[in-house]
Amino acid sequence: MENRYAANPTDVKQYTTERLREDFLIEKLFTDGELKMVYSHYDRTVIGGAVPVENELKLEAGDFLRTAYFLERREVGIINIGGQGKVTVDGEEYLLNKRDCLYIGRGKKSVLFASVDVKAPARLYFVSTTAHRDYPTKVLPIDAAVPTRLGSGAQSNNRTIYKYIHEEGIQSCQLMMGMTILEPNNMWNTMPAHVHDRRNEVYLYFDMEEESRVFHFMGEPSETRHLLVKNEEAVISPPWSIHSGVGTNNYTFIWAMAGENYTFTDMDFVEMKNLR
């Protein structure tokens, strides 16, 4: 498990592009036959990707978490972005098609990832946060999720938001997770930008062409920076940072949040005139 420490916004102002990418961009999260994880000190969030091929991949605490098993004091949300996958939780199997979501609560001892067809392997993206109580394991297919349509053609941001894990959906301790799909010929997301100083957020950008890129804007509103992001790369967004972006083509992203406040609408919007 890779370790990423939290950063003071005053220090980040001095970062080079390379240092920004080292601290906040997660590259090469999906590798055939491997399970990779990054531990962020922002709200103790673990970000991971599993691509099971010939063998099952087991979600384990390893030496880093210092617990008997991964979910001893944690919960996890999983969204499949590849071929049909199978997640086995304490012996019970859950099938996940592309864009389906599975929530697993605290206390489950065994979590195994597998692909139904190794020629079209699952690509299982997951985000885990600490948890203080147990919630039941639940699956929510994309077809059963309630869509919220936002944006306009004039602003190039027609998009559909699917909320999976939140206060009115799958219940959890502090994890919130969902997905935003931009329509063709629409490239902007979440502009005007916002911050939520009571929780961090993680973005995974996917469904992008090989040559496509997203300019992910981050930093304090008064002094913004950007990260150039490729397909299936994730960005750690600190509580003090904006998080919006524009792509060379339309794209899809998964958002996951954790922290002090469990209210989805707890956002402090920044007027365009106040961005620098």
Side-chain angles (χ1 to χ4, degrees), residues 47-63:
I47 305 106
V51 187
V53 184
E54 298 295 338
N55 301 311
E56 291 180 320
L57 298 173
K58 186 175 182 180
L59 183 61
E60 296 181 297
D63 296 331

Side-chain angles (χ1 to χ4, degrees), residues 121-178:
R123 303 176 80 80
L124 297 158
Y125 173 71
F126 60 90
V127 177
S128 171
T129 57
T130 56
H132 61 271
R133 60 164 291 185
D134 305 346
Y135 282 92
T137 300
K138 286 190 177 181
V139 63
L140 181 58
I142 180 68
D143 294 340
V146 178
T148 300
R149 292 180 172 84
L150 299 172
S152 69
Q155 295 178 316
S156 300
N157 66 353
N158 281 308
R159 61 198 189 277
T160 303
I161 297 176
Y162 293 91
K163 301 176 188 176
Y164 292 113
I165 304 170
H166 66 112
E167 58 187 340
E168 297 176 357
I170 298 176
Q171 296 296 291
S172 67
C173 283
Q174 64 164 327
L175 176 65
M176 283 186 280
M177 198 170 185

Side-chain angles (χ1 to χ4, degrees), residues 217-238:
F217 296 105
M218 61 167 295
E220 293 180 289
S222 59
E223 193 163 345
T224 59
R225 300 287 187 269
H226 77 269
L227 295 168
L228 199 60
V229 183
K230 297 188 295 186
N231 186 47
E232 296 186 353
E233 293 184 341
V235 175
I236 298 169
S237 181

Side-chain angles (χ1 to χ4, degrees), residues 4-174:
R4 300 279 185 101
Y5 287 105
N8 186 300
T10 302
D11 295 334
V12 172
K13 293 178 182 180
Q14 311 302 320
Y15 284 9
T16 62
T17 297
E18 182 179 0
R19 178 66 188 278
L20 279 177
R21 295 175 69 85
E22 288 176 355
D23 274 25
F24 301 109
L25 181 65
I26 303 175
E27 303 174 278
K28 299 177 182 178
L29 194 56
F30 299 93
T31 301
D32 286 356
E34 295 184 17
L35 188 156
K36 295 188 174 183
M37 291 185 283
V38 173
Y39 184 99
S40 170
H41 284 260
Y42 290 109
D43 293 306
R44 306 289 174 179
T45 303
V46 175
I47 305 106
V51 187
V53 184
E54 298 295 338
N55 301 311
E56 291 180 320
L57 298 173
K58 186 175 182 180
L59 183 61
E60 296 181 297
D63 296 331
F64 194 90
L65 295 183
R66 305 274 177 101
T67 53
Y69 51 95
F70 188 89
L71 293 176
E72 181 178 340
R73 300 176 60 83
R74 288 185 162 272
E75 59 189 354
V76 65
I78 304 163
I79 296 178
N80 185 15
I81 65 171
Q84 190 177 50
K86 180 177 68 174
V87 182
T88 304
V89 183
D90 284 354
E92 186 170 353
E93 294 183 358
Y94 298 87
L95 288 177
L96 295 180
N97 294 312
K98 186 174 183 180
R99 297 178 177 174
D100 291 351
C101 177
L102 174 67
Y103 169 82
I104 308 172
R106 186 189 70 166
K108 299 298 183 182
K109 293 184 177 180
S110 175
V111 179
L112 301 172
F113 299 124
S115 294
V116 174
D117 181 359
V118 297
K119 295 181 180 179
R123 303 176 80 80
L124 297 158
Y125 173 71
F126 60 90
V127 177
S128 171
T129 57
T130 56
H132 61 271
R133 60 164 291 185
D134 305 346
Y135 282 92
T137 300
K138 286 190 177 181
V139 63
L140 181 58
I142 180 68
D143 294 340
V146 178
T148 300
R149 292 180 172 84
L150 299 172
S152 69
Q155 295 178 316
S156 300
N157 66 353
N158 281 308
R159 61 198 189 277
T160 303
I161 297 176
Y162 293 91
K163 301 176 188 176
Y164 292 113
I165 304 170
H166 66 112
E167 58 187 340
E168 297 176 357
I170 298 176
Q171 296 296 291
S172 67
C173 283
Q174 64 164 327

